[in-house]
């Protein structure tokens, strides 16, 4: 019996091993100005995306969405002409993460076994996703 219980806990260990927190979600590979402007921005964006993923895996959806909002807003500070394509890519990556959270919440809040406790997070995700797609 104890062996079966320990197997359940090993799943969370495997999940944390799958995600490498030392790697960034977004990395600059080629930049006309050598990535000098976006280095600090990118570090914060990656940090917020990591935090968002952690909150998401812990079912703290509201905080996961808030972390993505901060990351998205940080991309708007990259307004140099050479940075605009990268900033657009960063925003697309963040929006994709939010869409995944939104889909997860949609599945959890609809159907016969829906969880009403996630409705407020689902509504927040819907509103935030609309804001991201309209380019707040």
């Amino acid at each position: 019996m104890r062996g079966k219980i320990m197997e359940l806990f090993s799943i969370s260990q495997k999940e944390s091993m799958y995600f490498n927190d030392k790697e960034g979600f977004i990395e600059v590979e080629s930049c006309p100005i050598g990535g000098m402007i976006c280095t600090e921005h990118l570090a914060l964006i990656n940090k917020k995306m990591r935090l968002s993923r952690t909150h998401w895996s812990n079912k703290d959806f509201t905080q996961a969405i808030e972390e993505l909002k901060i990351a998205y807003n940080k991309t708007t500070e990259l307004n140099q002409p050479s940075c605009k394509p990268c900033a657009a890519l960063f925003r697309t990556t963040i929006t994709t993460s939010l869409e995944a959270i939104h889909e997860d919440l949609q599945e959890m809040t609809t159907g016969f076994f829906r969880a009403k406790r996630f409705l407020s997070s689902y509504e927040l995700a819907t509103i935030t996703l609309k804001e991201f797609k309209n380019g707040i």
Side-chain angles (χ1 to χ4, degrees):
M1 181 73 168
R2 181 175 167 91
K4 291 191 183 263
I5 292 173
M6 293 308 288
E7 288 176 14
L8 291 174
F9 291 112
S10 67
I11 291 172
S12 62
Q13 266 184 335
K14 289 177 187 173
E15 285 179 359
S16 64
M17 288 172 32
Y18 176 74
F19 296 113
N20 186 355
D21 284 342
K22 293 186 171 68
E23 287 183 13
F25 278 88
I26 305 168
E27 295 180 7
V28 177
E29 290 188 10
S30 65
C31 178
I33 55 174
M36 293 171 19
I37 297 174
C38 68
T39 307
E40 291 177 17
H41 292 81
L42 191 54
L44 180 77
I45 291 167
N46 281 326
K47 178 182 176 185
K48 293 300 179 182
M49 291 197 59
R50 258 188 252 106
L51 286 171
S52 175
R53 185 189 60 223
T54 302
H55 290 301
W56 181 17
S57 66
N58 292 332
K59 303 285 188 225
D60 185 3
F61 296 104
T62 303
Q63 192 59 39
I65 295 165
E66 292 299 325
E67 297 293 347
L68 289 177
K69 282 171 120 176
I70 293 168
Y72 190 91
N73 290 334
K74 194 67 175 172
T75 65
T76 60
E77 296 176 9
L78 294 170
N79 50 18
Q80 299 289 334
S82 60
C83 296
K84 287 187 181 188
C86 292
L89 176 66
F90 300 164
R91 285 191 285 276
T92 301
T93 305
I94 294 165
T95 302
T96 302
S97 292
L98 182 59
E99 286 171 344
I101 291 172
H102 185 262
E103 288 175 17
D104 195 18
L105 285 165
Q106 186 174 16
E107 289 175 8
M108 294 169 58
T109 57
T110 57
F112 187 70
F113 295 108
R114 65 183 170 266
K116 292 182 181 179
R117 65 183 174 164
F118 296 119
L119 279 174
S120 62
S121 296
Y122 177 68
E123 291 169 0
L124 177 63
T126 303
I127 291 167
T128 305
L129 194 56
K130 285 179 184 177
E131 289 174 354
F132 283 8
K133 289 186 176 184
N134 290 333
I136 30 178

